[in-house]
Amino acid sequence: MFIPCGDEPHDDIRMTVNTLHRPTHRDALVHLEAAFEREDMITVFGRCTVDYDGRATSELGPGDRLVVLKPDGSILVHTDEKRTPVNWQPPGCEHTASVRDGRLRVRSTRSNPDERLDVFFERVDQCSTYAVDDRSDLELFGSEEDLRQHILSDPDILETGFEPLETERQSDAGPVDIFGEDADGNPVVVELKRRRVGPAAASQLRRYVDAFHREFGDGETIRGILVAPSVTDRAAELLDREGLEFVALDPETGERPPEANDESGPETEEEEE
Amino acid sequence: MFIPCGDEPHDDIRMTVNTLHRPTHRDALVHLEAAFEREDMITVFGRCTVDYDGRATSELGPGDRLVVLKPDGSILVHTDEKRTPVNWQPPGCEHTASVRDGRLRVRSTRSNPDERLDVFFERVDQCSTYAVDDRSDLELFGSEEDLRQHILSDPDILETGFEPLETERQSDAGPVDIFGEDADGNPVVVELKRRRVGPAAASQLRRYVDAFHREFGDGETIRGILVAPSVTDRAAELLDREGLEFVALDPETGERPPEANDESGPETEEEEE
DNA sequence: AAATTCATGTCGTTT
DNA sequence: AAACGACGTGAATTT
């Protein structure tokens, strides 16, 4: 069992990859169960059908696919297309394998919500297990958090005289990205987005501003500013109708984008109420 | 080259899987380029670093990972955790491989947006290519579309006397899921969700109702009904404040859920304006 | 190509 | 455990 694949022996003591080529279902089963035990990462190439029942329900007819089983309990069924697996199960599931009706069944289940994914192989072309050592974490730049840091370290890039007072300030509608004051002392609610914004972001900002209106009373003038690299026309109209503002900023640089649809150009005519 | 893995020959004429175990970078390179040409699906196990630059920027230090390359131009880099790849590129990218500085580089690029993903292998443990035949399409049940069909085939499950007039009806705020009339002839805007709804769904419905107010004038009474299996407290409050309604329906069955937080029970006291 | 919205979204964070 | 919002969201549909 677990004979390393290849024609000559290798000088490594510990084999990280164990591969079965065209195994019988029973051999694949033993291979899989040992890998579950070792917490290896597993790939299976083969012809299969897939059955899912959980938050939704799905059926997938026969085809050649790549199935990936991870030691964290996730499973992915990949066809030859798309970045998204055709079927899957998130981390935290229990994997089991068995042979039924002449087919290899790989089952992944979880509760809360109750979900079950069955992959039935009529043929296994290859079954590999891989002992993984990975301690590196991804470093990502250009997130909304980066945009926030840009504004906090130089608030004038948002607006001259803007003073941030609190991040993640709680409101009745949830935590607000940046809460602060403008040069005139008016409260300002700032909502950040790392990419071009549509109507949903405008509505989100509106919910926050409304919450402060309820908190502070109708007397106060509360400004809402949406910050993103650019904005769609419909979102710009919505912001306009709601008396909200837009400022164009790039999340990677924290600077005004070269020439964005920022709508904050020359004609900054606001409706006084 | 492309010697099928295993100890004895197989009776199949066409080998679907070709596997190299612990290949040199140069052998892996040749293997990869032939697979690109054949449009095979590819998996690579090995120790690598990853470099991404595009909509954002990321760096990933050394670790053992599974890299999947698909013939549609997508690439996935999977660690031993998470359903989501740690790095990736969507379909439509161009894959290339080369050997640089003693490492195998797999590069995936695209334009619009300009993005580049580099995987640098210091060690390749296994490189497999797989000729895929998959013509089956996924059949999925329990989507928002199914929920809509339930309501259209029996409108009374929404509300006695409800009459659907149009689906995807255009409005100033975008297409509305179902537009219809209630028993009294009032226009009704119906927004569907396949799962429990939060504040965003309530705001979405409000945008649609507002758009019809602008279209029909302020005289008309326009009702907005959010349909989903359940609703969060905050969203229920928001709906209440906005004068919108909620109806609990399950997307798979089209029936009232057993006992959901539907807020449409006995106390249906509305504020008249 | 841009805009909009759905998704078995997934994932992290906070309550 | 539930709620809420970000995400390099991806993917489909329509304009």
Side-chain angles (χ1 to χ4, degrees):
Chain A
M1 257 341 80
F2 316 134
I3 300 147
C5 177
D7 293 337
E8 63 234 68
H10 294 266
D11 33 17
D12 309 72
I13 285 100
R14 199 172 62 93
M15 296 311 303
T16 57
V17 185
N18 283 298
T19 293
L20 300 183
H21 187 258
R22 284 286 190 128
T24 65
H25 290 339
R26 189 138 298 282
D27 285 348
L29 173 63
V30 174
H31 198 60
L32 287 172
E33 287 181 338
F36 293 158
E37 190 66 27
R38 288 194 306 269
E39 307 212 313
D40 279 0
M41 188 137 79
I42 302 166
T43 62
V44 186
F45 282 123
R47 189 162 187 81
C48 61
T49 62
V50 187
D51 221 340
Y52 159 71
D53 192 35
R55 290 163 290 177
T57 301
S58 76
E59 285 176 31
L60 181 62
D64 300 329
R65 284 131 206 167
L66 167 67
V67 177
V68 179
L69 294 127
K70 295 191 180 190
D72 71 350
S74 46
I75 179 172
L76 318 171
V77 182
H78 273 284
T79 68
D80 58 342
E81 292 182 328
K82 304 290 154 64
R83 201 216 64 150
T84 306
V86 63
N87 278 114
W88 71 88
Q89 204 74 278
C93 294
E94 179 114 8
H95 298 321
T96 58
S98 59
V99 178
R100 313 239 160 173
D101 306 325
R103 295 180 301 175
L104 174 68
R105 187 191 76 183
V106 175
R107 167 169 284 189
S108 177
T109 57
R110 67 165 171 157
S111 43
N112 201 288
D114 267 346
E115 293 200 294
R116 175 188 53 76
L117 181 71
D118 281 336
V119 184
F120 296 97
F121 288 94
E122 66 179 66
R123 188 189 73 231
V124 175
D125 290 302
Q126 179 176 296
C127 180
S128 295
T129 65
Y130 189 52
V132 179
D133 175 13
D134 189 347
R135 286 111 175 215
S136 299
D137 283 319
L138 185 75
E139 288 179 287
L140 183 71
F141 310 97
S143 64
E144 181 183 302
E145 171 61 20
D146 291 324
L147 177 56
R148 177 164 68 177
Q149 291 307 324
H150 284 301
I151 293 173
L152 293 179
S153 68
D154 180 12
D156 284 345
I157 63 173
L158 180 65
E159 173 180 289
T160 308
F162 173 69
E163 191 182 355
L165 297 174
E166 207 173 338
T167 66
E168 301 295 311
R169 186 196 191 282
Q170 289 305 316
S171 80
D172 207 40
V176 165
D177 285 338
I178 303 177
F179 180 76
E181 273 182 12
D182 67 13
D184 299 331
N186 297 308
V188 180
V189 177
V190 182
E191 172 62 28
L192 309 174
K193 294 293 170 194
R194 69 167 305 283
R195 65 173 189 177
R196 187 174 177 83
V197 287
S203 289
Q204 188 185 352
L205 177 57
R206 186 186 199 282
R207 292 199 300 274
Y208 293 143
V209 172
D210 283 353
F212 281 105
H213 274 297
R214 292 195 298 275
E215 184 176 330
F216 294 165
D218 289 334
E220 283 273 7
T221 299
I222 298 157
R223 295 175 57 197
I225 305 181
L226 184 55
V227 179
S230 61
V231 59
T232 66
D233 288 350
R234 194 178 275 170
E237 283 172 39
L238 182 51
L239 287 169
D240 206 43
R241 274 201 304 273
E242 308 279 2
L244 302 171
E245 302 163 56
F246 178 79
V247 170
L249 284 181
D250 180 277
E252 292 239 30
T253 65
E255 293 169 10
R256 303 286 167 138
E259 44 189 302
N261 176 14
D262 60 354
E263 303 287 308
S264 70
E267 70 281 33
T268 311
E269 35 186 312
E270 287 144 39
E271 309 248 337
E272 313 297 333
E273 47 193 313
Chain B
M1 252 345 78
F2 315 134
I3 301 148
C5 178
D7 292 338
E8 62 234 68
H10 293 267
D11 34 17
D12 308 71
I13 285 99
R14 197 173 64 90
M15 295 310 301
T16 57
V17 185
N18 282 297
T19 293
L20 300 182
H21 187 258
R22 285 284 190 129
T24 64
H25 290 340
R26 190 138 299 283
D27 285 347
L29 173 61
V30 173
H31 199 62
L32 287 172
E33 288 181 336
F36 294 158
E37 190 66 28
R38 287 194 307 269
E39 307 212 311
D40 279 0
M41 187 136 82
I42 302 166
T43 62
V44 186
F45 282 123
R47 189 164 186 82
C48 60
T49 62
V50 187
D51 221 340
Y52 157 73
D53 193 36
R55 288 164 291 176
T57 300
S58 76
E59 285 175 32
L60 181 62
D64 299 329
R65 284 131 205 167
L66 167 66
V67 177
V68 178
L69 294 126
K70 295 192 181 191
D72 71 349
S74 46
I75 179 171
L76 318 172
V77 182
H78 273 284
T79 68
D80 58 342
E81 291 182 328
K82 304 289 154 62
R83 202 218 62 151
T84 305
V86 63
N87 277 115
W88 71 89
Q89 205 72 282
C93 294
E94 180 113 10
H95 298 321
T96 58
S98 59
V99 178
R100 314 237 159 174
D101 306 326
R103 295 180 301 174
L104 174 68
R105 187 190 76 183
V106 174
R107 168 169 284 188
S108 177
T109 57
R110 65 164 172 159
S111 42
N112 199 294
D114 267 348
E115 295 199 293
R116 176 188 52 76
L117 180 73
D118 281 336
V119 184
F120 296 97
F121 287 94
E122 66 180 66
R123 189 187 73 232
V124 176
D125 290 302
Q126 180 175 291
C127 180
S128 294
T129 65
Y130 189 51
V132 178
D133 175 13
D134 190 348
R135 287 112 176 213
S136 299
D137 283 319
L138 184 75
E139 288 179 287
L140 183 72
F141 310 96
S143 64
E144 182 183 301
E145 172 60 21
D146 290 326
L147 176 56
R148 178 165 67 178
Q149 290 308 324
H150 284 301
I151 292 174
L152 294 180
S153 69
D154 181 12
D156 284 345
I157 63 173
L158 179 65
E159 175 180 287
T160 308
F162 174 69
E163 191 182 356
L165 297 175
E166 208 172 338
T167 65
E168 302 295 311
R169 185 197 191 283
Q170 288 305 316
S171 80
D172 209 40
V176 165
D177 285 338
I178 301 177
F179 179 76
E181 275 182 11
D182 67 13
D184 300 332
N186 296 309
V188 179
V189 178
V190 182
E191 173 62 29
L192 309 174
K193 293 293 170 194
R194 69 169 304 283
R195 66 171 191 177
R196 186 174 178 84
V197 288
S203 289
Q204 187 184 0
L205 176 58
R206 186 184 199 283
R207 291 199 299 274
Y208 293 143
V209 172
D210 284 353
F212 280 105
H213 275 298
R214 293 194 299 275
E215 184 176 328
F216 293 165
D218 289 335
E220 284 272 7
T221 300
I222 298 159
R223 296 174 58 196
I225 305 181
L226 185 53
V227 179
S230 61
V231 59
T232 66
D233 289 349
R234 194 180 277 170
E237 283 173 38
L238 182 51
L239 288 168
D240 206 43
R241 275 201 303 275
E242 308 280 3
L244 303 171
E245 303 163 55
F246 179 79
V247 170
L249 285 181
D250 180 277
E252 292 238 30
T253 65
E255 293 169 10
R256 303 286 165 139
E259 44 190 300
N261 175 12
D262 60 354
E263 303 288 309
S264 69
E267 68 282 36
T268 310
E269 37 186 310
E270 286 144 40
E271 311 248 336
E272 311 298 334
E273 47 194 313

